[in-house]
Amino acid sequence: MNHKKMGKNNKVTNNKVTKSQSFSSIFTADINQVKADVLPFIRNPKDMGIWSNDYFLQLAQMIRFE
């Protein structure tokens, strides 16, 4: 179970998930299944055209873990 805590300056910290674990999960995700899972919540399915494992890895690399 992941336990999130509020850290200093009200930043969320997570002691159980490392950056490499997060990247590994994104890299190995079945992007077609991800798209199928969120499709009912998307107004314009064409917006998902950019979605790929590489795209989400690039986004994840912008996240700062503290």
Side-chain angles (χ1 to χ4, degrees), residues 25-40:
S25 297
I26 294 169
F27 185 70
T28 60
D30 178 352
I31 199 67
N32 291 322
Q33 184 61 52
V34 171
K35 287 180 178 182
D37 289 345
V38 300
L39 185 60

Side-chain angles (χ1 to χ4, degrees), residues 3-14:
H3 295 286
K4 293 183 180 182
K5 300 180 193 176
M6 292 300 288
K8 292 181 180 178
N9 301 322
N10 294 326
K11 293 179 184 174
V12 176
T13 59
N14 189 328

Side-chain angles (χ1 to χ4, degrees), residues 45-66:
K46 291 180 182 180
D47 292 340
M48 295 177 9
I50 193 171
W51 288 20
S52 68
N53 293 80
D54 186 54
Y55 173 70
F56 284 105
L57 280 171
Q58 289 176 26
L59 291 176
Q61 289 172 344
M62 294 180 209
I63 298 171
R64 295 187 185 233
F65 289 86
E66 297 182 17

